[in-house]
Amino acid sequence: MSDQHSFETLAIHSGNTADPLTGAVVPPIYQVSTYKQDGVGGLRGGYEYSRSANPTRTALEENLAAIEGGRRGLAFASGLAAEDCLLRTLLYPGAHVVIPNDAYGGTFRLFAKVVKRWGVDFSVADTSDPAAVRAAVNDRTKVIWVETPSNPLLGITDIAAVADVARTAGARLVVDNTFASPYLQQPIALGADVVVHSLTKYMGGHSDVVGGALIAADAELGEELAYHQNAMGAVAGPFDSWLVLRGIKTLPVRMDRHSENAAKVAELLLRHPKVTQVLYPGLPEHPGHEIAAKQMRAFGGMVSFRVEGGEEAAVEVCNRAKLFTLGESLGGVESLLEHPGRMTHASVAGSALEVPADLVRLSVGIESADDLLADLTQALG
């Protein structure tokens, strides 16, 4: 599939080659562990064992590379499995990493509790300020890690500006593109070396699969990552790969609706007397609005807000919601809400990444916007 096609066409057709045996227009689920070889070393299509390669996963990985504009896509059992593989590939004892001051709690836990035990050090920086990133870099920095929009504070990083900092430092720029999805944002085109996804979220889109991905900007790094993917083994299974591949086909239309609904939700919250702050990059008053408008197609479906009355008031809003389901994760067609301080970001409590206790995070789904607004209004009392 030519990379000259539009995103919508790539999302549907890349990797989705008709089955040569039957003509099936959807790639089959190759639920198989091993493959018949035509003599010793005679592999059919390069397949020998499904940890190393599986045709359904190959279809997804080709699709991922195409829609992110990268040279190699790799699919994993979860987003954190993808991150773990990436860090083991790029880092070694004595290396240093710069991470965001509002990173996802699971990513922070990976650095603080796992990677640090290998002798890898990290510094926390406000990645929305390229000067702060530059100040955090030292002669051992090998990776600069960015989330934009960030989880859960919806911070925005200028990817191109931080890519310049990374190049000057001789470091790799890694961008977690989970909140935006490749439909709304293309980090590799802006200078990123690797894009990370939790495929569980918008890419799968239906809250029925767990997966992760890495997309490398250059083929050599892609080969290194593929070697470690096979050596470490945390690969996406064939059914999970098939589910994500199916989800990606509707990604553009879903993201358009997520973004439209989220903008209406943000406007409602902005006017509500019990809401003290709304965090959504689509609002002109958001400090990252201009950068987001420059590097994103739209502003996405995630909205966070702070509630008058502190932590207990925020928890009460979560408990009163009816149409917004109280639950972790995000990016599904159904709307979710959660209290990050007690749920997804409990692992950063007491650290420099601790989130406000009065914060509520919304994953705005694709239901009727009027119904969503009514539910939030009653939940806020």
Side-chain angles (χ1 to χ4, degrees), residues 11-32:
I12 292 171
H13 292 284
S14 292
N16 286 280
T17 305
D19 178 51
L21 179 64
T22 66
V25 297
V26 175
I29 301 169
Y30 284 88
Q31 193 66 47
V32 59

Side-chain angles (χ1 to χ4, degrees), residues 15 45 47 52-64 73 241 245:
Y47 295 103
S52 302
N54 174 283
T56 315
R57 192 172 85 234
T58 297
L60 172 59
E61 291 177 337
E62 290 177 357
N63 183 279
L64 292 168
S241 298
L245 198 56

Side-chain angles (χ1 to χ4, degrees), residues 262-295:
K264 293 175 182 177
V265 164
E267 288 293 342
L268 170 80
L269 294 171
L270 199 63
R271 297 191 302 269
H272 200 285
K274 291 188 179 179
V275 173
T276 60
Q277 185 181 17
V278 181
L279 304 173
Y280 183 64
L283 295 173
E285 52 266 54
H286 187 286
H289 175 72
E290 289 187 13
I291 297 297
K294 181 177 69 173
Q295 67 188 22

Side-chain angles (χ1 to χ4, degrees), residues 3-332:
D3 59 6
Q4 299 304 307
H5 288 288
S6 67
F7 185 95
E8 291 83 351
T9 301
L10 292 173
I12 292 171
H13 292 284
S14 292
N16 286 280
T17 305
D19 178 51
L21 179 64
T22 66
V25 297
V26 175
I29 301 169
Y30 284 88
Q31 193 66 47
V32 59
S33 60
T34 193
Y35 305 80
K36 182 182 185 298
Q37 300 187 23
D38 299 321
V40 176
L43 308 184
R44 297 189 186 185
Y47 295 103
E48 57 180 339
Y49 187 61
S50 277
R51 185 191 70 246
S52 302
N54 174 283
T56 315
R57 192 172 85 234
T58 297
L60 172 59
E61 291 177 337
E62 290 177 357
N63 183 279
L64 292 168
I67 63 176
E68 276 288 8
R71 296 295 299 278
R72 186 70 179 267
L74 298 164
F76 294 82
S78 70
L80 283 170
E83 293 185 10
D84 185 42
C85 178
L86 175 61
L87 296 178
R88 290 177 191 258
T89 303
L90 297 181
L91 302 177
Y92 51 81
H96 174 260
V97 183
V98 177
I99 68 171
N101 63 353
D102 56 349
Y104 164 56
T107 299
F108 174 76
R109 183 178 57 226
L110 183 62
F111 279 106
K113 303 297 184 181
V114 180
V115 179
K116 196 168 184 178
R117 295 175 63 188
W118 310 341
V120 173
D121 192 20
F122 66 90
S123 298
V124 174
D126 177 3
T127 59
S128 69
D129 179 4
V133 177
R134 191 176 299 109
V137 166
N138 62 42
D139 58 5
R140 296 180 293 110
T141 303
K142 299 303 175 186
V143 170
I144 297 175
W145 193 282
V146 163
E147 289 180 21
T148 183
S150 67
N151 181 9
L153 299 179
L154 282 302
I156 299 296
T157 295
D158 186 331
I159 297 171
V162 176
D164 288 340
V165 175
R167 277 192 294 271
T168 300
R172 300 277 194 179
L173 175 61
V174 176
V175 176
D176 185 333
N177 201 29
T178 298
F179 267 27
S181 85
Y183 175 65
L184 298 185
Q185 183 169 264
Q186 298 273 302
I188 287 174
L190 296 169
D193 295 292
V194 185
V195 172
V196 176
H197 280 283
S198 171
L199 297 176
T200 312
K201 312 305 192 298
Y202 287 110
M203 303 283 261
H206 294 79
S207 300
D208 56 8
V209 63
V210 173
L214 299 174
I215 300 91
D218 70 80
E220 183 178 354
L221 177 57
E223 283 298 317
E224 290 182 47
L225 292 168
Y227 175 85
H228 281 84
Q229 179 196 41
N230 180 50
M232 296 168 66
V235 296
F239 185 46
D240 291 344
S241 298
W242 185 88
L243 283 170
V244 175
L245 198 56
R246 182 186 66 167
I248 289 172
K249 292 177 182 179
T250 60
L251 179 66
V253 291
R254 286 188 288 107
M255 293 309 298
D256 283 341
R257 182 61 172 266
H258 283 300
S259 298
E260 290 170 10
N261 280 359
K264 293 175 182 177
V265 164
E267 288 293 342
L268 170 80
L269 294 171
L270 199 63
R271 297 191 302 269
H272 200 285
K274 291 188 179 179
V275 173
T276 60
Q277 185 181 17
V278 181
L279 304 173
Y280 183 64
L283 295 173
E285 52 266 54
H286 187 286
H289 175 72
E290 289 187 13
I291 297 297
K294 181 177 69 173
Q295 67 188 22
M296 298 177 70
R297 186 194 298 246
F299 301 105
M302 300 302 298
V303 181
S304 291
F305 63 97
R306 300 178 70 174
V307 181
E308 184 181 74
E311 181 173 5
E312 294 307 318
V315 169
E316 189 58 30
V317 169
C318 293
N319 289 336
R320 281 199 299 258
K322 296 177 181 177
L323 188 56
F324 278 83
T325 300
L326 178 61
E328 298 189 359
S329 198
L330 58 102

